[in-house]
Amino acid sequence: MLPNTFHFAVSNHPISRTQSLRQGFCVARNAWAVLVIIFLFSWNTAFAQVSSEDAPRPIVAPKQVAPEEEVSSAQIESDLNEGQQSTSVTTSVDASSLGSAAEAKQSKRILWIFPNYRAVSANTKLPPLSLKKKFWLATQDSFDYSSFVSAGMIAGASQANKSYPEFGQGAKGYGRYLWHAVADQAVGNYLTEAIVPAVTHEDPRYYTLGHGGIFKRTGYAVSRLLITRTDSGHGTFNLSEIVGNGAGAGISDLYYPSRERTWTKTGQKWLTQIALDGVFNIVKEFWPDINRAVFHGKY
């Protein structure tokens, strides 16, 4: 979850309306930019992988058997066949296990900027998270170095848009934007990934779809805002996302200026955060394809 730094303010002053429209256009522009990048890069995925299944296999010449060994060779050949079958079964099981383990791997960060600890590859079945692991997941998303990078970027964008005029400009003003962004991030992560999931027994991880067209996968990513998995693996309404972000927006009123504590602005922060989570769900859905096709798995 990312900080509630972009929101649409409602005020009776013309300047506030202008700033609100500017912020709204910035959010829409950024969201569409992400979608366009995903669309362009996802087409390269089909050409990024080269299959090795068609490679020719080495030809082994048959071994000549002496006439006096014909009786015993039949038994030896039978034993060898049984051993080869057993070995092939073991090898196939090991290969499938390695394949599933490889597919389950996800990079912990997206371009070293955004934390990606919650993403799980498609067709992966994992054991449920304990309470301790849910809190550790929220801690990783909140205090990994990449989380401070992303918070710093969003704080800078908020300051440039003068989202909160009370914070001021310059280094001092940026410091205020930054610690508010970090606080928003931590509060939201602990609520949506640990506290609420612990009460509702929900799995806070994002399971990618990993197949289908761009529109199907985009729709799936957005639908995860409302649908998630329980600890037992069944589908359920995503209370962690909806209730957790709502609680986070309410708690943020405790440390934001009094002018920003109206019901309207709190609701706007709540809805904006859910919308941003939807955008980053889309990024997480297509990131493995982009990483493999463009960066060759470097990140």
Side-chain angles (χ1 to χ4, degrees):
M1 173 176 175
L2 293 174
N4 299 314
T5 53
F6 295 106
H7 68 280
F8 309 110
V10 176
S11 173
N12 295 326
H13 299 286
I15 297 178
S16 297
R17 289 197 187 97
T18 303
Q19 293 177 349
S20 300
L21 289 174
R22 187 187 304 121
Q23 295 170 15
F25 285 132
C26 288
V27 173
R29 180 191 61 194
N30 293 338
W32 277 110
V34 170
L35 292 177
V36 169
I37 292 173
I38 291 171
F39 179 82
L40 292 176
F41 285 144
S42 61
W43 288 106
N44 295 329
T45 304
F47 304 97
Q49 298 178 343
V50 178
S51 176
S52 61
E53 294 180 355
D54 297 331
R57 297 183 179 179
I59 300 176
V60 180
K63 182 179 179 181
Q64 298 294 331
V65 181
E68 60 271 12
E69 296 178 352
E70 290 180 357
V71 176
S72 60
S73 63
Q75 181 64 31
I76 294 174
E77 185 177 353
S78 177
D79 295 338
L80 288 176
N81 290 335
E82 292 180 359
Q84 289 175 355
Q85 291 177 357
S86 176
T87 303
S88 63
V89 171
T90 305
T91 304
S92 62
V93 172
D94 292 341
S96 62
S97 300
L98 291 173
S100 61
E103 290 177 357
K105 290 182 179 179
Q106 281 270 5
S107 59
K108 300 305 181 184
R109 302 169 190 90
I110 298 177
L111 293 176
W112 296 324
I113 297 175
F114 302 107
N116 194 37
Y117 288 92
R118 287 198 301 153
V120 178
S121 294
N123 301 322
T124 302
K125 294 183 180 180
L126 298 176
L129 291 175
S130 63
L131 178 62
K132 179 180 179 180
K133 290 183 178 179
K134 288 178 180 178
F135 272 90
W136 177 240
L137 179 63
T139 301
Q140 288 178 308
D141 272 347
S142 300
F143 300 108
D144 182 78
Y145 77 84
S146 61
S147 65
F148 292 98
V149 174
S150 58
M153 293 173 59
I154 296 177
S158 297
Q159 185 181 35
N161 289 326
K162 297 181 180 180
S163 299
Y164 302 101
E166 299 90 343
F167 293 170
Q169 295 296 309
K172 189 175 181 179
Y174 178 77
R176 294 193 183 99
Y177 277 102
L178 180 60
W179 83 255
H180 279 81
V182 173
D184 287 345
Q185 187 169 260
V187 169
N189 286 338
Y190 278 102
L191 283 168
T192 59
E193 299 177 24
I195 298 174
V196 177
V199 175
T200 59
H201 301 287
E202 294 176 3
D203 191 339
R205 293 169 291 195
Y206 174 79
Y207 291 83
T208 61
L209 181 61
H211 61 83
I214 184 172
F215 294 108
K216 179 180 180 180
R217 294 175 67 182
T218 300
Y220 169 84
V222 174
S223 70
R224 297 308 97 179
L225 296 174
L226 301 177
I227 303 172
T228 189
R229 296 188 184 187
T230 62
D231 288 337
S232 58
H234 299 91
T236 186
F237 181 74
N238 197 349
L239 287 172
S240 300
E241 175 71 26
I242 305 303
V243 176
N245 277 321
I251 293 174
S252 69
D253 287 344
L254 298 176
Y255 52 84
Y256 271 84
S258 57
R259 181 182 174 183
E260 309 294 335
R261 299 176 186 174
T262 64
W263 283 100
T264 300
K265 292 184 178 181
T266 301
Q268 289 169 347
K269 286 191 291 185
W270 176 34
L271 295 176
T272 301
Q273 186 57 63
I274 293 175
L276 287 174
D277 284 348
V279 172
F280 281 94
N281 277 357
I282 298 173
V283 175
K284 291 177 181 179
E285 175 65 34
F286 290 98
W287 168 243
D289 303 305
I290 297 173
N291 187 27
R292 184 169 55 253
V294 180
F295 303 107
H296 306 290
K298 181 179 179 181
Y299 299 100

